[in-house]
Amino acid sequence: AQSVAQPEDQVNVAEGNPLTVKCTYSVSGNPYLFWYVQYPNRGLQFLLKYITGDNLVKGSYGFEAEFNKSQTSFHLKKPSALVSDSALYFCAVRDMGTGGFKTIFGAGTRLFVKA
Amino acid sequence: DTAVSQTPKYLVTQMGNDKSIKCEQNLGHDTMYWYKQDSKKFLKIMFSYNNKELIINETVPNRFSPKSPDKAHLNLHINSLELGDSAVYFCASSQGRGQETIYSNQPQHFGDGTRLSIL
């Protein structure tokens, strides 16, 4: 079965500094990887995905993620953090289960950006 | 325009009661889902429907019964509510049939959740 791990419960960064939120995956075959963001009292919002092709994927709100096959990682990055980026971030992988595809989410990483 | 809408936003009720949560999507998607997010923010799929047909049913108690009257709606009925049912329930949708590989890379669109509190 596919799985993702987010090793950090929380990431703290100062506004204007680069940020990284880590994700590692375990899959058989080619991985379909996603990042979602959740703001307080809201549902998850899609940020970006990796399917194939360029290892650097660009997404919404200036975020990007780097797919690294040898390290089985898909870290989320942003060159300059904003206070408004503070939220809960989920890494996810698409898994083919009985009956159809389903998304397996990581445990989430809370990002705090200080002004 | 709200793409995936859930009602109610908050639901406070007593143990043993029966309640329903409604979900509607106006994105024209074929597949809809129910997720449960616990107090530690862990998100787990419960059900997936494709064009009114149940395609994924995770290990969920029989007290939970989803119903899809049409592909734009997926409701969740819960019987005999228990304390452990307290959580935020999210509805989501995605494009295409759940079993087709070409749609496996489509992102999901989430509603804003229903916060269920059992007294």
Side-chain angles (χ1 to χ4, degrees), chain A residues 5-12 19-24 35-38 75-76 85-91 105-112, chain B residues 37 40-42:
Chain A
Q6 295 181 242
E8 303 155 315
D9 290 336
Q10 183 171 311
V11 170
N12 297 314
L19 69 87
T20 298
V21 182
K22 295 180 181 177
C23 172
T24 58
W35 275 102
Y36 288 83
V37 60
Q38 185 180 23
H75 300 333
L76 182 70
D85 292 330
S86 298
L88 187 57
Y89 290 82
F90 289 94
C91 183
F105 288 90
T109 298
R110 195 169 293 280
L111 173 67
F112 286 101
Chain B
Q37 187 175 46
K40 294 185 178 180
K41 304 300 183 183
F42 186 71

Side-chain angles (χ1 to χ4, degrees), chain A residues 1-2 7-8 10 16 18-19 22-24 27 61 63-64 68 70 74 80 82-83 89 94 97-98 110-111:
Chain A
Q2 328 284 44
E8 303 155 315
Q10 183 171 311
L19 69 87
K22 295 180 181 177
C23 172
T24 58
V27 303
Y61 312 122
F63 283 92
E64 56 190 28
N68 187 318
S70 63
F74 188 55
S80 178
L82 300 172
V83 172
Y89 290 82
R94 207 79 162 132
T98 303
R110 195 169 293 280
L111 173 67

